[in-house]
Amino acid sequence: MSDVTPAPAPVAVVGGTGPQGRGLAYRLARAGHPVVLGSRDAGRAAEAAAALRGLPRVAAPVEGAANEDAVRRAETILLAVPYQGHADLVASLAEDLAGKVLVSCVNPLGFDKGGPYGVPVPAGSAAEEAAALVPSAVVVGAFHHLAAPLLLDPEADLRHEDVLVCGDDADAKARVLALAAAVTGGRSVDAGRLRLAAQLEPLTAVLISVNKRYRTRSGIALTGLPSTAEKEEVA
């Protein structure tokens, strides 16, 4: 029997050249997860990957590819794209997403003179829209409330922030909960069924409003939750 620990499977980040996608990719690579950045432009993805490899404490490979190639190379895919054009993009990747875990980080938001607000989604949420478009994939909602500038800041400590994760498949949700804890080095929280993405996604508008008013980068931290050890004892 070999004592060699298998390398973690690659994680693809569709929308990997945007701030949120790059930030999540950076934190995953710091935690030892190989990452493939996906973009409509493979050359742009390769440039973004090279820039991330130059950041401190990157402990795993970071590569760039066209969206389709990135999805084919991973079993877990983070979708970190604007809501505008979301449905067309997901539908175009449906064949390659079949049988995989798709993590929706999408926040359907609008902005007007009154500030940010949640955009109504006929399916209920962007995550549920993705699930309807690709029923052969397992969709989990996560990472809606982490600030991209903090994710990309090598000195930012994110351990105090909670990542809320929702989904209907227990195994897929467990996988994403582990990734979320790796991203922040802190706590990930099982927030319930996928339908609760309809509440989690527009909450980002509240954080943006708070950030503007107080000139900060706020996040989510829940009180009253048991520690990991206490949860294991209860179970």
Side-chain angles (χ1 to χ4, degrees), residues 154-227:
E155 303 305 319
D157 186 349
L158 301 178
R159 288 176 294 178
H160 63 286
E161 297 207 26
D162 291 334
V163 179
L164 306 184
V165 180
C166 61
D168 297 335
D169 183 284
D171 291 339
K173 189 155 55 171
R175 185 190 304 186
V176 179
L177 285 164
L179 286 178
V183 163
T184 64
R187 188 169 62 178
S188 56
V189 178
D190 185 339
R193 303 293 295 240
L194 188 67
R195 67 185 182 184
L196 292 179
Q199 280 70 50
L200 295 179
E201 292 171 1
L203 181 58
T204 304
V206 177
L207 296 180
I208 294 172
S209 180
V210 169
N211 291 344
K212 182 177 180 181
R213 185 173 187 84
Y214 291 96
R215 299 181 182 179
T216 187
R217 293 189 176 112
S218 58
I220 297 293
L222 302 182
T223 63
L225 290 178
S227 67

Side-chain angles (χ1 to χ4, degrees), residues 56-145:
R57 298 192 288 280
V58 171
V62 182
E63 301 177 42
N67 282 328
E68 296 81 359
D69 291 336
V71 170
R72 292 185 194 114
R73 293 166 62 178
E75 294 303 315
T76 303
I77 295 90
L78 272 58
L79 187 61
V81 298
Y83 181 63
Q84 293 73 20
H86 168 264
D88 289 341
L89 175 62
V90 173
S92 73
L93 298 171
E95 183 176 347
D96 294 315
L97 288 168
K100 300 190 176 184
V101 174
L102 176 61
V103 185
S104 176
C105 316
V106 179
N107 295 312
L109 301 178
F111 298 85
D112 60 19
K113 292 181 179 179
Y117 61 95
V119 174
V121 178
S125 65
E128 291 169 292
E129 182 175 272
L133 288 166
V134 193
S136 55
V138 181
V139 178
V140 177
F143 301 117
H144 301 102
H145 309 128

Side-chain angles (χ1 to χ4, degrees), residues 21-41:
R22 286 185 291 116
L24 291 169
Y26 173 51
R27 292 288 171 160
L28 286 169
R30 276 179 49 151
H33 292 274
V35 177
V36 185
L37 298 182
S39 172
R40 289 186 175 89
D41 184 333

